Amino acid sequence: MGLACFEARRAVSLERELSENANCFGQLHISDSGFSFNKDYIKAQEGQRGSAIAQLTDVSALEQSDDGHSSVFSDRTGMVKAARMLLSSVTKVLVLADCIVIKQIISSRNKVLVTLEQLEKVSTFQEFVQIFSQFGNEMVEFAHLTGDRQNDLKDEKKRARMAAARAVLEKCTMMLLTASKTCLRHPDCESARINKEAVFQRMRQALDQVIEIVTDSRSSSEAKTLSVSIYAGIKDFKVKVESLRDSLHSVSCEAVAAQLETLVEKTQDFTDSAYTSHEQRETIIQLCQLTRQETKLLINTWRHVQQFLKAKEATDEMELSILKTCQSVGDLRRELHKVAVVRATELLKLHADHLVLQALKASGGDGNLDAVADYAGTLTEHKEQLLETCRLLCHISGSEPLEITCIHAEETFRVIGPQIISAAQTLALHPTSKIAKENLDVFCEAWESQLCDMAILLKEINDVFEGRRGDKKTYLSLPRPGKHSTNLKTVKATKLDAEEQASLSKQGLELCLLTSDVDSELERWEQQEHQMLPLCQIISSMAYSMYLFTRGEGQLKMTSDLFHQAELLSEQGLQLCPILHSVSAQLLDEDRMLILSEAEKLSTACQQLQLCARTPVQGKSAIFQKVDSSIQNTKAILIVVVYVLPMCNKLLRKCKADSSCLASPQRWREQQLSAPSSMEALNGKGSNGFGLKSLEQHMAGLTFLESK
């Protein structure tokens, strides 16, 4: 009885929901695309489906059996049919809604394309300003629609491709503005025209890619995206080899051998690189040969088992061959990962100062065409290095979305490099032109921004390789009520100008590279339980979250968050100083003075960071200077940490070889009477907790990178 009532109520509820949905979708209409549908027809269809189930579950029509029990469903076949029809109607409504969203995106794209064509043909500033204003509004609408669609996509590859296309459109909008203005101001300049045409072409390609994604169509560009990387090939190779445990006929010997040769051929991207060292090249070749040998032994054992033993499953001998083959190909993957990551890290450090971009700006401003040509050649070399590094990272990325991001990074460097050169040539021809200078600045900022994105990409690839997913573990303590909030005010959001953004991006990238160095040094420690390591890990993670702030990402949304994080980081650095003093007590005079000197530098940097974070300031310029000083002082702390970590690690290994157990400074103090008794103070600070508070509840502050 209760079941029948429930089913009846549910059927009526479904009928009402579907009628409301049909009514809602019926109101939607896209006039310029000619897309519409009959609202009343859908309401009638949904009503019929719901009414059929309601009638079949009507409690007033229950039948009584001979034993006095009620029968809920007199027509089970009719119930199943009505349920299927109801689900079919729901599916039709959902498909219809999806079609509407796709039509809206296509319609919005078409409007953008029309306006884009008008912008390309303008001949006066007044006409350009009028049309660009319309273009901006249409791009905002398109960005909202595609952003919602990106969030709704379930396929990670499509989501990554959509994110890449939207990133191109976002950056190219600003490039289009300055490139068009430059071309209008200097209509006879060939380099300005080339610069402008390249921006328009890239925007059209990005718009087409968005439509390919939402309509689920394939293109030649996607074929490149779907190319198999070494990581994907190794993963598939191991799956095929391991499947032999269950069935010896799951795959052919020829298929396994052919796939291995394809993998070895792809490693030529590493061995043929001019930037791969001789030792790395030899190691890769040896691992390829070892994998070939193990695979050959596996195939021989495999054939022997099939032909002579007539077995259907793997024998112990074959199991051993499977393990050796998988291990050898795994060692190959690790070596390739190491080569690509080291290469990318070195390249990011090399380009962190952006000296070539600065030289191009200076040469262009001086009107020196010869110098621009020389530095253009240097930038082209850097571009080729970055393209090759992106290809190597794509091979070891570890997931298809990251492969797509690597391909996007490669394409970005490939396009922006020549655009920077043409913009610099335009400035050299017109050195007094403010518009030409602004245009070059915009393209240089895009290059620097892509370098920052590459650093993030490198970190994500490492996370996947090491089994970590998502953002780096962040040790945060956002402002709590009643603490660190005396001098904070709600300030109107302010955007940085181009020069300030470039400066902050550069400082952030250097900070990111230093955190990578700290993490690398921590991984080399043999005694992972040592007391120094947790403090250094916390310092590195806090610094990384500050780097994300410079990109407008992460959990630090406002400057109040950044300053509070900086204060906490300084406290962790001060806790590290007593440990360094304890370590120095075990060293000879020369090494002791070196450690004490670094401890003093660390203490000074921490105190300066703490003072900077606690000093109240007002005004955009003063706040920017405070942010810049906080990051500079944080870099100084990380430089000391990177320097002392390998030194202390070396000491631990030496003492371990001498059979002197130096597991922690506390043990050293027990063994050596000369060690200072400073552990009580350290333990008193060691219990500092890190309480997380939701970003929606803590105090509002000034957001610097709102535009990003």
Side-chain angles (χ1 to χ4, degrees), residues 514-578:
L514 283 171
T515 61
S516 298
D517 291 340
V518 173
D519 294 342
S520 299
E521 293 297 337
L522 290 172
E523 290 174 358
R524 295 190 178 98
W525 275 62
E526 294 180 358
Q527 298 184 21
Q528 290 293 323
E529 73 281 358
H530 192 273
Q531 197 166 359
M532 283 185 64
L533 268 63
L535 285 174
C536 294
Q537 287 170 349
I538 291 172
I539 290 171
S540 174
S541 295
M542 285 183 167
Y544 188 82
S545 66
M546 294 172 70
Y547 156 67
L548 290 180
F549 173 85
T550 65
R551 292 176 49 80
E553 300 173 359
Q555 298 188 52
L556 304 180
K557 300 298 183 184
M558 291 161 282
T559 52
S560 57
D561 302 336
L562 179 75
F563 300 145
H564 180 67
Q565 185 83 323
E567 187 174 348
L568 292 174
L569 189 148
S570 67
E571 293 174 2
Q572 299 302 313
L574 290 172
Q575 290 186 38
L576 189 59
C577 293

Side-chain angles (χ1 to χ4, degrees), residues 211-402:
I211 300 305
E212 290 169 9
I213 296 167
V214 298
T215 58
D216 201 21
S217 58
R218 295 292 181 91
S219 67
S220 57
S221 62
E222 188 178 4
K224 181 181 178 181
T225 305
L226 298 176
S227 61
V228 179
S229 65
I230 291 179
Y231 169 80
I234 288 177
K235 183 178 179 181
D236 187 52
F237 177 79
K238 291 178 69 174
V239 168
K240 288 182 178 178
V241 170
E242 291 173 345
S243 68
L244 296 175
R245 292 191 176 102
D246 301 324
S247 173
L248 298 180
H249 302 282
S250 60
V251 64
S252 67
C253 304
E254 293 76 10
V256 172
Q259 186 166 8
L260 177 61
E261 289 306 314
T262 301
L263 286 176
V264 172
E265 184 180 348
K266 288 181 180 294
T267 61
Q268 292 177 4
D269 288 345
F270 291 80
T271 55
D272 292 349
S273 171
Y275 308 105
T276 303
S277 67
H278 177 72
E279 293 77 10
Q280 291 172 333
R281 186 177 292 106
E282 287 298 317
T283 303
I284 293 173
I285 293 174
Q286 289 174 6
L287 288 172
C288 288
Q289 286 298 110
L290 178 61
T291 306
R292 275 196 180 110
Q293 293 173 7
E294 296 296 345
T295 305
K296 186 177 180 180
L297 289 173
L298 171 62
I299 291 175
N300 291 337
T301 307
W302 181 5
R303 286 172 174 166
H304 177 76
V305 171
Q306 284 180 314
Q307 293 176 4
F308 298 102
L309 301 182
K310 306 296 183 182
K312 295 183 179 179
E313 295 181 359
T315 61
D316 292 342
E317 183 182 1
M318 191 170 176
E319 175 69 24
L320 182 60
S321 294
I322 291 173
L323 291 174
K324 287 184 177 180
T325 302
C326 292
Q327 182 179 355
S328 62
V329 79
D331 292 341
L332 175 61
R333 182 205 165 193
R334 278 188 289 274
E335 182 62 25
L336 295 176
H337 177 88
K338 176 183 175 182
V339 171
V341 168
V342 169
R343 174 64 190 151
T345 303
E346 291 175 350
L347 204 57
L348 287 172
K349 288 181 180 179
L350 178 65
H351 295 162
D353 50 11
H354 308 300
L355 291 179
V356 178
L357 299 182
Q358 294 173 11
L360 275 172
K361 292 178 184 179
S363 302
D366 294 338
N368 191 339
L369 280 170
D370 293 334
V372 167
D374 291 340
Y375 288 119
T378 305
L379 183 66
T380 301
E381 292 177 6
H382 289 182
K383 180 198 70 174
E384 293 301 325
Q385 294 174 7
L386 289 166
L387 295 181
E388 182 180 274
T389 303
C390 288
R391 286 193 290 271
L392 300 187
L393 289 177
C394 182
H395 275 308
I396 55 96
S397 55
S399 70
E400 289 180 325
L402 289 179

Side-chain angles (χ1 to χ4, degrees), residues 67-85:
D67 56 1
H69 292 87
S70 298
S71 176
V72 179
F73 302 124
S74 59
D75 185 5
R76 294 181 182 274
T77 303
M79 181 64 186
V80 172
K81 182 179 179 181
R84 286 177 176 171
M85 293 174 68

Side-chain angles (χ1 to χ4, degrees), residues 352 452 455 472 503-519 539-550 556 562 565 569 609 627-639 642:
C452 293
K472 179 174 182 168
S503 172
L504 204 58
S505 297
K506 177 184 175 183
Q507 299 292 346
L509 179 58
E510 293 173 354
L511 196 62
C512 175
L513 295 174
L514 283 171
T515 61
S516 298
D517 291 340
V518 173
D519 294 342
I539 290 171
S540 174
S541 295
M542 285 183 167
Y544 188 82
S545 66
M546 294 172 70
Y547 156 67
L548 290 180
F549 173 85
T550 65
L556 304 180
L562 179 75
Q565 185 83 323
L569 189 148
L609 178 60
V627 171
D628 186 68
S629 299
S630 298
I631 295 177
Q632 290 279 12
N633 290 323
T634 302
K635 284 166 50 183
I637 293 173
L638 290 180
I639 289 172
V642 170

Side-chain angles (χ1 to χ4, degrees), residues 448-501:
E448 295 169 7
S449 174
Q450 190 57 50
L451 284 174
C452 293
D453 292 342
M454 189 173 175
I456 291 288
L457 175 62
L458 181 61
K459 183 256 174 193
E460 292 174 345
I461 290 174
N462 266 327
D463 284 350
V464 172
F465 181 78
E466 295 169 4
R468 301 192 303 263
R469 285 302 188 103
D471 286 338
K472 179 174 182 168
K473 184 179 179 182
T474 308
Y475 294 83
L476 277 203
S477 179
L478 296 179
R480 296 186 290 274
K483 185 178 181 182
H484 303 292
S485 56
T486 16
N487 298 316
L488 299 181
K489 296 182 179 180
T490 301
V491 187
K492 182 179 179 181
T494 308
K495 295 182 181 180
L496 297 177
D497 57 36
E499 185 177 352
E500 291 170 335
Q501 283 191 4

